[in-house]
Amino acid sequence: MNNSIKKILFLGPKGTYSEFAAEKFREKLGLKQEFEPVSTITKIIETIDADSSLAAILPIENSIEGIVRATLDGLFSAENDIKIQAQTQINIENCLISFSKKEEITHIISHPQPLSQCQKYISANFGKDIILEGASSTAAATASLRERGRGFASIGNELCAKMYGIPVIEKNINDNKDNQTRFILTSINDFKIENKTRTSLVFSTLQKPGALACALEVFKKHNINLIYIESRPSKKVLGEYNFFVDLDKDINKLDETLNELSTVTQYYRILGSYPIM
């Protein structure tokens, strides 16, 4: 384990699913570092990009809402080579939390993803005049209820509600009960974790017809399974995209594949080769 890492950041405040993921990484990897909450994903990535003695735990994909764009775009745009060191999954069980009775609720606060994950529940249980308010995290939304008047509720997790002493009105309100989020441990310095079974990379295609098909054909030719693919605007030229892919191979088994990929793309960059916790 890399002792040069002094502190590990997570999306705060305390009580978020990111903190739960941090504790799971601590258990699985025997992490001894202090965990510190930071208010936004963008701020976390900027901070670890500027200090190689820091690491971070970030949400990267939800099974219902898909990719967490702030995480993916942040990894793409970082000035230094931030790498994924490990990955884990956390079950998401959203709750309705409030000091008010359910029939008194006029405002619901949460991170945009849980609000989207509970759309059917909100529509079925509240009128068209319900006001939805975004927050930087579910924990921040729940903590804010202590300063709000009657009629405010949050969508968050049960442990966070207990932490702040706020009643849970209803549990497991997800529209889809099989709701999970993938979290990644990231840093510039290598944690030197063994048993790597997955590799993530980003590439940009040549600007010509069939360029993406040519890139994907490389993976097919070398019998590489693409677990995930996501396109994101390059933010440099309109119509130019970066493609993020997950492969079920250790980076040490991809030499021939990557050599060929370099001939049919503008560039590629390894985002990490890592184990699944």
Side-chain angles (χ1 to χ4, degrees):
M1 196 59 60
N2 192 333
N3 292 324
S4 64
I5 302 296
K6 304 304 181 185
K7 188 181 295 185
I8 301 176
L9 312 181
F10 66 90
L11 181 62
K14 286 183 172 295
T16 61
Y17 282 108
S18 293
E19 185 178 22
F20 298 166
E23 292 298 338
K24 186 173 180 180
F25 279 124
R26 187 199 294 279
E27 177 187 351
K28 296 291 186 180
L29 297 174
L31 301 177
K32 305 298 183 183
Q33 292 88 349
E34 174 190 354
F35 290 154
E36 179 178 304
V38 177
S39 59
T40 68
I41 291 171
T42 299
K43 183 63 176 177
I44 290 173
I45 294 175
E46 288 176 350
T47 302
I48 66 170
D49 194 22
D51 188 343
S52 61
S53 73
L54 300 176
I57 289 155
L58 298 164
I60 193 166
E61 184 197 6
N62 177 262
S63 60
I64 299 172
E65 294 303 309
I67 205 72
V68 180
R69 294 177 180 179
T71 297
L72 203 57
D73 289 348
L75 294 177
F76 288 167
S77 61
E79 292 186 9
N80 292 297
D81 198 11
I82 299 174
K83 287 283 200 299
I84 301 171
Q85 307 291 331
Q87 177 186 295
T88 194
Q89 293 183 180
I90 298 292
N91 292 326
I92 307 299
E93 294 185 2
N94 291 312
C95 300
L96 184 69
I97 302 164
S98 182
F99 287 113
S100 303
K101 295 180 180 179
K102 187 174 179 179
E103 57 270 21
E104 297 175 326
I105 294 170
T106 58
H107 295 69
I108 299 177
I109 313 161
S110 194
H111 185 275
Q113 283 217 343
L115 288 175
S116 182
Q117 294 162 12
C118 301
Q119 287 184 75
K120 292 180 181 178
Y121 172 84
I122 293 170
S123 178
N125 288 270
F126 299 95
K128 63 180 181 179
D129 294 328
I130 189 73
I131 297 172
L132 305 181
E133 182 179 327
S136 61
S137 69
T138 55
T142 300
S144 75
L145 297 181
R146 296 178 300 176
E147 302 171 358
R148 305 273 188 156
R150 302 292 295 180
F152 285 83
S154 72
I155 292 176
N157 65 74
E158 185 176 5
L159 289 178
C160 184
K162 290 180 179 178
M163 180 186 301
Y164 292 112
I166 306 173
V168 171
I169 305 300
E170 196 163 348
K171 298 180 182 180
N172 202 10
I173 63 173
N174 308 331
D175 295 337
N176 187 326
K177 303 308 179 186
D178 184 19
N179 187 357
Q180 294 184 319
T181 295
R182 284 199 294 148
F183 290 86
I184 52 175
L185 172 65
T186 63
S187 66
I188 294 173
N189 280 328
D190 190 1
F191 271 70
K192 297 180 173 62
I193 305 170
E194 298 180 352
N195 301 318
K196 298 174 181 179
T197 58
R198 185 167 297 181
T199 297
S200 295
L201 62 89
V202 57
F203 64 85
S204 178
T205 60
L206 303 170
Q207 297 302 302
K208 64 178 185 180
L212 178 58
C214 288
L216 296 179
E217 183 63 29
V218 172
F219 298 115
K220 179 181 178 181
K221 175 182 175 181
H222 292 275
N223 197 32
I224 303 297
N225 182 32
L226 294 184
I227 302 169
Y228 188 86
I229 182 168
E230 177 81 18
S231 64
R232 296 291 299 139
S234 70
K235 300 185 179 180
K236 296 178 180 178
V237 179
L238 182 64
E240 183 178 88
Y241 288 85
N242 293 319
F243 296 91
F244 170 85
V245 294
D246 282 348
L247 318 173
D248 63 351
K249 290 282 186 180
D250 183 335
I251 187 67
N252 295 319
K253 300 177 181 178
L254 291 171
D255 286 349
E256 291 185 11
T257 305
L258 296 177
N259 285 338
E260 189 168 341
L261 184 67
S262 68
T263 67
V264 296
T265 57
Q266 290 195 73
Y267 83 96
Y268 76 85
R269 174 184 162 198
I270 302 299
L271 294 177
S273 193
Y274 50 92
I276 308 299
M277 301 281 100

